[in-house]
């Protein structure tokens, strides 16, 4: 396939960016999208030009690093799929493909297609964990968890922290991400002691980072590669309301 890539190039967060044409010849339909970008970078390198900076790590849909808006859709056209799992067979000869970084106030562009997602780390540090006392670790099966609750916790725990939900939301809200991180503990006995403190601290940090509020567009759910349901946002809001009305130590 011959393709025309229109790639966002930006030297640093303060520089002006622009879409730059990168023609690609003989692209195999069996290549992954990131392999296609690797080859594009090899060609730029041979020509003595700067390669395109883009984030990636596992390339198997589990780390959350890959983060491209492809033809206007975070992670591209396939539902429930990360950019690294997208293959070129999804495109056809002659296609023009626009590739942009996540765009959100809380995710400033570092270079080209790479954005700073450290805001997610700071939200996590506020409560995305359970405190465990020192001593002998309890046997994992010693605490019974109803099957339904375990399933709900595991559904939420699939979030890989990629940030596509933020990129898709016209409010730049990270409520699906925070909801997933809150919900994965709210359904487990281990998450109960810090449950209400956690939800208040994480939402406060979400707001302090400059993410917007959720107004139920549900674009986040539509693009989430792990198909996290907006149910987690409703659960989080319920816990938050209870915490602020009754106190975070309820
Ligand atoms: S909720 Fe989905 S889209 Fe948002 S960070 Fe987690 S995996 Fe990515
Ligand atoms: S590179 Fe790890 S999820 Fe895509």
């Amino acid at each position: 396939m011959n393709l025309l890539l229109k790639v966002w190039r930006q030297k640093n967060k303060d520089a002006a960016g622009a879409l730059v044409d990168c023609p690609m010849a003989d692209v195999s339909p069996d290549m992954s999208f990131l392999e296609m970008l690797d080859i594009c970078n090899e060609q730029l390198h041979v020509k003595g030009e700067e390669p395109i900076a883009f984030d990636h790590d596992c390339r198997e849909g589990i780390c959350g690093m890959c983060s491209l808006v492809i033809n206007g859709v975070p992670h591209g056209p396939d539902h429930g799929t990360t950019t690294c799992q997208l293959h070129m067979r999804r495109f056809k000869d002659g296609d023009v493909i626009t590739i942009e970084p996540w765009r959100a106030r809380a995710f400033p562009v570092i270079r080209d297609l790479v954005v700073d997602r450290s805001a997610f780390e700071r939200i996590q540090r506020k409560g995305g964990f359970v405190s465990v006392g020192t001593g002998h670790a309890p046997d994992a099966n010693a605490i019974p968890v109803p099957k339904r609750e375990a399933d709900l916790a595991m559904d939420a725990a699939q979030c890989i922290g990629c940030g596509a939900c933020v990129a898709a939301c016209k409010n730049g809200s990270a409520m699906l991400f925070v909801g997933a991180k809150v919900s994965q503990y709210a359904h487990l006995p281990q998450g109960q002691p810090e449950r209400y403190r956690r939800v208040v601290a994480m939402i406060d940090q979400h707001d302090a980072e400059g993410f917007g509020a959720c107004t139920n567009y549900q674009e986040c759910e539509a693009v989430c590669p792990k198909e996290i349901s907006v149910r987690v946002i409703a659960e989080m809001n319920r816990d938050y309301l209870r915490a602020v009305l009754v106190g975070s130590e309820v």
Side-chain angles (χ1 to χ4, degrees):
M1 290 185 291
N2 294 328
L3 303 167
L4 176 62
L5 308 183
K6 287 185 170 293
V7 184
W8 186 261
R9 305 298 311 259
Q10 184 173 338
K11 279 207 176 318
N12 56 54
K13 81 174 172 53
D14 300 318
L19 287 170
V20 174
D21 286 358
C22 300
M24 290 287 296
D26 296 328
V27 174
S28 161
D30 296 327
M31 284 176 188
S32 75
F33 199 86
L34 296 187
E35 282 167 347
M36 184 273 299
L37 280 182
D38 290 338
I39 290 171
C40 179
N41 273 347
E42 280 172 15
Q43 292 173 358
L44 289 172
H45 181 68
V46 167
K47 285 195 276 182
E49 294 177 23
E50 277 287 319
I52 300 159
F54 64 95
D55 260 337
H56 59 98
D57 192 1
C58 71
R59 297 200 175 201
E60 54 185 18
I62 55 173
C63 77
M65 283 302 285
C66 57
S67 47
L68 304 178
V69 176
I70 300 164
N71 288 342
V73 182
H75 289 304
D78 284 344
H79 186 69
T81 303
T82 54
T83 298
C84 59
Q85 295 171 302
L86 178 65
H87 283 77
M88 296 315 294
R89 64 182 77 98
R90 197 65 173 73
F91 301 90
K92 57 183 191 314
D93 187 41
D95 271 358
V96 177
I97 305 175
T98 306
I99 310 172
E100 297 169 90
W102 287 172
R103 295 196 188 280
R105 183 174 47 176
F107 288 161
V109 171
I110 296 173
R111 188 180 180 87
D112 295 338
L113 303 169
V114 179
V115 300
D116 179 358
R117 285 175 282 181
S118 57
F120 271 14
E121 298 300 325
R122 290 188 289 275
I123 293 172
Q124 279 284 74
R125 269 185 243 140
K126 288 290 176 176
F129 52 83
V130 290
S131 301
V132 177
T134 55
H136 185 63
D139 190 327
N141 292 327
I143 306 170
V145 181
K147 171 85 167 70
R148 182 176 176 277
E149 295 299 305
D151 285 350
L152 290 171
M154 288 305 290
D155 286 350
Q158 287 194 76
C159 169
I160 53 175
C162 64
C165 44
V166 178
C169 176
K170 58 162 64 179
N171 302 326
S173 174
M175 285 292 174
L176 195 68
F177 164 77
V178 183
K181 299 303 173 192
V182 165
S183 176
Q184 68 182 356
Y185 295 120
H187 286 284
L188 296 176
Q190 296 89 335
Q192 299 314 309
E194 292 154 312
R195 179 171 178 173
Y196 297 101
R197 216 179 320 146
R198 172 182 303 115
V199 69
V200 171
M202 291 182 82
I203 290 182
D204 283 354
Q205 190 64 32
H206 167 279
D207 295 350
E209 296 289 349
F211 294 106
C214 171
T215 49
N216 294 315
Y217 282 100
Q218 304 191 14
E219 293 289 334
C220 51
E221 181 182 291
V223 300
C224 174
K226 298 299 159 187
E227 302 177 310
I228 305 288
S229 163
V230 290
R231 166 187 62 80
V232 298
I233 300 178
E235 289 178 3
M236 175 182 66
N237 286 340
R238 225 167 24 234
D239 276 5
Y240 184 80
L241 195 61
R242 182 159 185 218
V244 294
L245 289 180
V246 188
S248 58
E249 297 299 330
V250 284

